[in-house]
Amino acid sequence: MHYLDFRDKIKSLPGFSLNDIRKIDPSFHKRQLMDWLQRGYIRPFAGEYYLLADQQMDGSLRFMLANRLYEPSYISLESALAYYQIIPESVLSVTSISSRKTKQFESDWGILYYRSIKPLLMFGYEVVETAPNRKYAIARLEKAVLDYLYLNSHISSVEDFEGLRWDRDVLLPAVGSDRFRNYQNIYNKKALDKRVYQLMRYLNA
């Protein structure tokens, strides 16, 4: 397959893998992919995913590729908290939740982290579509907070939350919502309940 033909057929996908190419051309050989890589026609993203050389990277593309790179997964933790403007600084890495084992990938656009949870806790996210063929799964704010508290057992006091500098005004309505309480009950963890109690003390200080 000629590169220009390939480019016309694949350009609707923000990122692609060898398997994506073989859906177009089942006889495609990885040697040709490596040749295009050496010629600078394409560039690596992370794992087995690639981008067209002129593809512009942005936040939504990183989120989408993070979802595809390690499935099933959804954006959560620091990345979701930054997305909802709960934490004051931008996050260069992408943090996700997965029911598979904890893993990370390096890329030119930051590290992609995946934290492992039980399949039962793979809920509370929504799919955001920013353009045709570009959509990603991200935790709702309530779930991102609970994921963070569930996986960070060292957060155990009001002082710890003060160090995180979470935005009280944005966070308080979410933590006081029925959705938050329903999600919390699904976790059914006393240690998590204690952290939520300390979070409420911080938010109401």
Side-chain angles (χ1 to χ4, degrees):
M1 179 167 52
H2 293 293
Y3 173 74
L4 292 179
D5 293 334
F6 158 77
R7 189 182 187 283
D8 287 342
K9 293 177 180 178
I10 208 76
K11 64 183 180 182
S12 63
L13 294 178
F16 57 89
S17 66
L18 181 60
N19 287 337
D20 292 324
I21 302 174
R22 285 177 174 161
K23 290 176 183 177
I24 300 170
D25 180 1
S27 65
F28 185 86
H29 199 282
K30 190 175 181 178
R31 285 196 303 268
Q32 191 165 13
L33 185 71
M34 294 298 101
D35 179 62
W36 290 345
L37 190 63
Q38 291 177 357
R39 292 172 181 266
Y41 296 163
I42 64 175
R43 53 183 173 162
F45 174 68
E48 298 296 326
Y49 276 83
Y50 302 86
L51 304 171
L52 295 174
D54 59 355
Q55 175 68 55
Q56 297 299 309
M57 181 61 64
D58 59 26
S60 65
L61 178 57
R62 288 201 305 157
F63 283 179
M64 191 214 74
L65 289 170
N67 281 178
R68 296 192 68 197
L69 185 62
Y70 201 60
E71 298 177 323
S73 66
Y74 61 89
I75 307 300
S76 189
L77 306 169
E78 292 88 352
S79 290
L81 294 174
Y83 176 88
Y84 294 114
Q85 299 183 326
I86 298 301
I87 57 180
E89 64 276 346
S90 60
V91 179
L92 296 179
S93 60
V94 178
T95 52
S96 300
I97 290 293
S98 176
S99 56
R100 298 169 67 184
K101 67 179 182 179
T102 294
K103 197 172 182 63
Q104 72 177 50
F105 298 90
E106 293 187 4
S107 80
D108 290 341
W109 298 273
I111 300 175
L112 295 92
Y113 294 100
Y114 299 84
R115 299 289 301 275
S116 179
I117 60 173
K118 298 176 181 178
L120 176 66
L121 301 179
M122 290 286 291
F123 70 92
Y125 55 87
E126 59 185 345
V127 176
V128 176
E129 186 169 3
T130 60
N133 291 315
R134 185 179 293 192
K135 56 186 178 181
Y136 54 86
I138 186 169
R140 294 186 174 94
L141 174 54
E142 298 86 351
K143 186 60 162 59
V145 172
L146 287 165
D147 283 342
Y148 188 92
L149 297 183
Y150 179 72
L151 292 171
N152 287 277
S153 59
H154 64 281
I155 304 296
S156 60
S157 67
V158 173
E159 290 74 19
D160 291 333
F161 285 106
E162 289 174 346
L164 294 175
R165 298 184 295 154
W166 285 2
D167 189 309
R168 289 181 170 91
D169 293 336
V170 177
L171 194 53
L172 186 56
V175 175
S177 68
D178 290 340
R179 176 183 288 169
F180 186 90
R181 286 188 290 271
N182 291 337
Y183 286 178
Q184 183 180 347
N185 289 336
I186 295 173
Y187 281 83
N188 191 29
K189 289 291 183 180
K190 291 183 179 179
L192 176 63
D193 294 342
K194 291 178 180 179
R195 288 175 214 135
V196 171
Y197 172 73
Q198 296 299 331
L199 173 59
M200 292 300 298
R201 289 184 61 206
Y202 165 74
L203 295 176
N204 288 290

